[in-house]
Amino acid sequence: MHLSYRWLQRHVDLAGISPEDVRTNLTLSTCEVEGLARFAPALSDVTVGFVAERAAHPDSDHLSICKVDVGAGELVQIVCGAPNVARGQKVAVATIGTTLGADFKIKKSKIRGQESCGMICSERELGLGDEHNGIWVLPDETPIGKRVADALDLVDWVIEIDNKSVTHRPDLWGHRGMAAELAAIFQRPLKALDTSLPRTGDWRPWEVRVETDDCPRYLALPIDGVRAERSPEWLRRLLLAVGQRPIDLLVDVSNFVMLDLGQPNHLFDRTRLAGRPIVVRKARPGERMQTLDAVERKLETDDLLICAGEQPVALAGIMGGEESKVAVETRELLLEVASFQPAVVRRTSARLGLRTDASARFEKNLSPTLALDAAGHLVRLLSAIQPDLVLPAPLADAGRWKDPARTVRVRPDIVRKRLGAPIADGEIVGILTRLGFGVTSSHGGLDVAVPSVRATKDISLEQDLVEEVGRIFRYGNVPEHRLEGSLAAPPVDRRRALVRKVEDRLAGVGRFRQTIGYSFVADALLAKLGLAELPHCAVINPVAEGLTRIRRAVAPSLLATVEHNRRHAKEVRLFELGKGYRPECAAQNGEPAEVHELVLLVAREPAAANARFDDNALAALRGAIDDLCFGLRLEAPAFAKVEHVDGAPYLHPGKTLAIRLGEHELGWLAALDPRVERELGLVGEQKSDVALATLFLDALLAAPVREKIYRPMPRFPGVKLDVALALPAAVAAEDVRVAIERAAKGLAGAIELFDVYTGPNVGPGRKSLAYHVHLESDERTLTDQDAQKFLQRVERAATELGGDLRKA
Amino acid sequence: MTETLESLFEPIRARIAAAESQESAEDVLRQVERETLDKGGVVAALLAAIPTLPGPERPLAGKRANELKGAITLALAEARERLATRAMERERAGSGFDATLPGQRAARGGLHPLVAVTRELEDLFTSMGYVVLDGPEIETDYHNFEALNIPRDHPARDMQDTFRLDPEGKLVLRTHTSAVQARGLKRLAEEVRAGRFAPPFRAIVPGKVFRQETTDASHEHTFHQMEGLVVGKDISVGHLIGAMKTLLRGVFGREIEIRLRPGYFPFVEPGFELDARCPFCKEGCSVCKRSTWIELLPCGLVHPNVLKECGLDPEEWSGFAFGLGLSRLVMLRYGIDDVRLLLSGDLRFLEQF
């Protein structure tokens, strides 16, 4: 919404208060000001000139050569193309160096061989409307050489208000309301405004039937003897300043009243109504009407209509009808000023996508009392311009409306307590009075009479008046306070502590980058991962097609980034802590079940053929999970091969592991299905070895923490030796480790697998596993004899496993 | 027996001395050692010759051989010590060291910048006794709107373009972390009834929120906020100002001037926009759009209707709430010019933190 500084001055004296002051003070006390700009800035740069001579251009039949006096002594030659330029006119001249609009700088030029030192401007070129039939001819008495803006007193400023910041203030949707704020802030009186209706004739009032509760008040007033002529300049300028295009006096006055008082109104061409009564009713099923923007509207039964008899003539509170709108030949009007149910106007205008200045105001809940003021204001403005105006009939006032004015009890102590500022009773009363509230003291409190225009919405509670006092008192004057309370230890937040430990461990020794993904998952990705058929929560108004669904699990979000990241990185290590939603397990109120997951992903260049057994993504991730559990002081997790994981069909069917901690199901770890790798574009340069894991945060939280217990260092030297076993390929490494441990008879300090070999040295169908083994005892120094006995037992174990001990 | 100890030792001493200046000094010393002290060496030959000597000469010859052995051993040790010292001094001189060679490349992990900043704020607030609350991303209309004094058909619903999960809008993607207010306040009301509550109640709620809007460098449909909520006896605007100043001191590490101006949010009364004096300039810059103020967060006193809805008597309790734009704060902190990077999962972005 735009406000004109000059317009505000119609209601309050702003002498000594600059537009910048207005901006700052509205910002600090009332609403958000988005901008402050000069109205028609070009006006301040152009000069009043006098066309001293005019001659036809020798080489053109439409150009004139003018000698113009701009008060600089010598006459200036200007070539002008306007048909209406004539000797003896006062005109607006943009001299050399003047900038019009954003980047149109006037330069000395030659037009068809004739020198031209400036431009004689039209109103449109100066931002004064869209008249472009010729140059702007100024009144004869305009003084030559002065700036046009000063000479014609056209200086104005446009203040732009953020509409959202006045959503709750229907009274601020017009200049008078804003002026009242300034009056309260600057402690100046609000100028009186006579809105009483002039004398009316003795016809019968226009018949109005309100058939719905959604129209609390409907005023109808016939007006005769008007003409749709050009509005006076002051009216046109004010409308232009706030971005409203002047049309003709009737339309302009109607708009002016809306922008002045905030009350929309409508003028019907009365002859079009043909004597039929105004009926306010809900639309009927399948009903249609053409609004005055010439669009045919399909109506629904919730829409509110203004009808002439049976025929819809306006979409209540939003837009008038095409048929009955005022036109050039209109002489007889019916003025409508009404109040409508805000929700009804809002729903219809939202459904039709038809937001108008009127609907924006009705949505905010206007006071029914404002309607009468607006009717009187409009008639008085119009009759001042067209004195022939007559009101043949008294005002029709229909509807069951109630004055929303009310009294709210305010305790000054509560005002001080809520604001935390020592404001004296007298100051509280003073501020409220300046804001237009009626204040009476009684029984140690204040009875505050809330005027109708403030009572529809904004002010109903004591706390609402605390705000009124606070904003005029200024929050900047409130001293800073510290919270006080008992020093109880805050509750232990185990989940958050766990999350932090997980993050630190993974981002630290784990060398993972944390990421945060969107909750939305694209249909295209779900299809690639084979998840399209699973139930997903979905929005019905997505930002893009195919982006409706909310993830059930976090893993797809990470998979979505792999291809892009592998373009730039040889190794991708990511983790995310996030939420997924499962609609099939919804609570009673429909809320879907929420899962908190930790997802890790490693994607890297495929390992070389001769790479070590643990030089791959799956082993890297497995090691990271081992380390994470160690860092979280959990037991070492167990990994068990499983056929598949529910809800994750994108995993490698032969390389999927369940992760368990005792009886706790912690999650899963798997390589990515090679088919899915291809789907995700991980081919060619981006061919990748991908593994991912999901751990359930709730399971991690439930897993028992084992505090670490110190074990004394060995007192006796041990024996270090390496053993290598050649075994059938099917033997699991874990079985071999157990066999070695058993062979050590409790003396095994550490058993570390360091090589897995298949190849000609062990023969087909066989593999070699090599271990570093450290034997040690708490009781004695171990000898070579102990080592020999151990090797003999390992050899027997190897035989039992179908293989043999390889001799070095 | 014509050779004296000196005549025997001198050539050996000379060889040792010469060795010290040679490239392969240690090899030469080893050679000297073998030829003199080892089996079949000079000293062994002298000792072996003793039985062939006349009786009276034998003790002297023995003594001479032993003295020679001692002299050679000492000379070798001294030579080696000198060599070692020289080598150490050469190393200490540092010649040939390239000070510009890079260090070993350590692979790094890291926290997401949103998490890093959230943690700072959590630490700041938990140090003042705030608890950290969590709430669902998919919310009921009740928690997101109704309980917050935003009934259906309220124009304030326009202020937040809402993703709906069903035509009736029973479930929505939460448009603000304020949605957790009602959950927190209801739990608080229970504690009050059970007599377990020691005021003031202090909570923050960091989390993901959603708005149905077209994305560009400064708009995202998914972003992060942090709600703050304090409820107690006689909590005032002054307390809110105090908390906000503390917050800014924590975020920027110094005193930052603030101003509160009226702002409309249905769940607070009075409601404010809090502006902070632009920490990046004095005369106006692109960050503050030349105004020297940065609109930082909406806040206000908890609306009595919200307290009442959650079972708390507004006569007895009052509170304040604020909603910090975490994504925006992270962008300000690190100079990030495109909000979409935050949730991109792009390693080239993540690796910078």
Side-chain angles (χ1 to χ4, degrees), chain B residues 31-264:
Chain B
Q31 182 70 25
V32 173
E33 195 169 24
R34 262 198 307 278
E35 289 172 14
T36 56
L37 301 179
D38 287 7
K39 256 183 208 169
V42 178
V43 173
L46 283 177
L47 289 171
I50 290 174
T52 66
L53 294 175
E57 287 182 26
R58 285 179 194 171
L60 194 67
K63 190 174 169 242
R64 197 181 49 178
N66 280 324
E67 278 171 357
L68 180 61
K69 183 181 177 183
I72 294 170
T73 304
L74 182 67
L76 279 170
E78 283 172 356
R80 282 184 168 129
E81 173 63 23
R82 275 193 301 277
L83 277 173
T85 305
R86 228 174 327 158
M88 187 178 72
E89 291 306 328
R90 243 197 333 271
E91 206 284 323
R92 286 188 72 223
S95 61
F97 169 66
D98 181 351
T100 66
L101 284 176
Q104 208 175 76
R105 236 195 100 207
R108 263 182 238 129
L111 298 179
H112 192 282
L114 268 166
V115 171
V117 170
T118 305
R119 280 185 173 204
E120 279 181 34
L121 294 170
E122 283 180 4
D123 290 347
L124 178 71
F125 280 103
T126 52
S127 76
M128 297 186 286
Y130 284 68
V131 295
V132 183
L133 299 182
D134 186 36
E137 294 167 9
I138 296 177
E139 257 297 5
T140 57
D141 179 87
Y142 174 78
H143 286 118
N144 198 73
F145 292 121
E146 295 271 354
L148 296 178
N149 201 30
I150 317 175
R152 262 167 215 278
D153 292 316
H154 194 289
R157 292 207 180 198
D158 285 351
M159 291 159 71
Q160 305 180 349
D161 299 307
T162 311
F163 283 115
R164 297 189 308 277
L165 274 77
D166 50 90
E168 307 87 66
K170 282 185 203 146
L171 286 180
V172 299
L173 292 185
R174 67 173 175 192
T175 59
H176 45 197
T177 42
S178 310
V180 185
Q181 270 194 27
R183 293 173 182 271
L185 288 174
K186 287 195 168 181
R187 215 184 307 162
L188 176 62
E190 275 168 35
E191 294 196 6
V192 169
R193 278 194 295 275
R196 281 197 308 266
F197 173 51
F201 168 76
R202 289 147 286 172
I204 51 169
V205 190
K208 223 185 224 180
V209 299
F210 307 84
R211 300 278 169 91
Q212 208 278 11
E213 67 178 3
T214 316
T215 56
D216 59 35
S218 45
H219 296 88
E220 245 294 19
H221 55 68
T222 306
F223 54 101
H224 285 72
Q225 278 188 342
M226 192 183 82
E227 186 82 358
L229 178 65
V230 169
V231 173
K233 306 260 184 195
D234 295 330
I235 298 294
S236 70
V237 175
H239 290 115
L240 171 59
I241 293 172
M244 294 303 96
K245 286 197 166 174
T246 309
L247 166 64
L248 290 179
R249 269 194 294 269
V251 170
F252 294 103
R254 62 189 158 97
E255 202 67 28
I256 300 265
E257 189 190 348
I258 63 164
R259 71 174 186 189
L260 287 186
R261 55 188 170 81
Y264 171 62

Side-chain angles (χ1 to χ4, degrees), chain A residues 346-347 411 418 463 467 481 496 500 503 511-514 517-519 540-541 564-565 579 581, chain B residues 107 110 112 119 122-123 134-135 137 153 158 162 164 208 212 220 237-238 269 315 345-347 353:
Chain A
R346 191 181 130 76
R347 276 198 295 267
R411 293 160 292 179
R418 293 290 181 262
Q463 193 125 337
E467 170 164 50
H481 294 304
R496 197 147 294 272
R500 286 212 176 184
E503 286 170 344
R511 299 186 289 108
F512 284 86
R513 288 281 162 190
Q514 185 176 29
Y518 290 99
S519 299
I540 59 172
N541 54 338
H564 172 78
N565 278 327
K579 297 175 178 179
Y581 291 89
Chain B
H112 192 282
R119 280 185 173 204
E122 283 180 4
D123 290 347
D134 186 36
E137 294 167 9
D153 292 316
D158 285 351
T162 311
R164 297 189 308 277
K208 223 185 224 180
Q212 208 278 11
E220 245 294 19
V237 175
E269 181 75 32
E315 279 293 305
D346 193 324
L347 267 180
F353 302 96

Side-chain angles (χ1 to χ4, degrees), chain A residues 510-512 559 562 566 570-574 600-608 611-626 639 652 655 657 659 668-673 677 682 687-693:
Chain A
R511 299 186 289 108
F512 284 86
L559 286 170
V562 175
R566 277 282 290 123
K570 285 186 177 160
E571 186 183 29
V572 178
R573 298 168 73 89
L574 288 173
L600 300 102
L601 177 139
V602 173
R604 38 163 277 179
E605 288 180 313
R612 221 176 96 122
F613 68 93
D614 57 358
D615 183 10
N616 59 69
L618 189 67
L621 208 44
R622 181 169 173 156
I625 292 166
D626 274 329
F639 297 86
H652 192 303
K655 296 182 180 173
L657 303 168
I659 312 171
W668 51 262
L669 160 69
L672 188 62
D673 188 331
E677 274 173 31
L682 298 173
K687 177 112 181 80
S688 302
D689 172 17
V690 184
L692 65 164

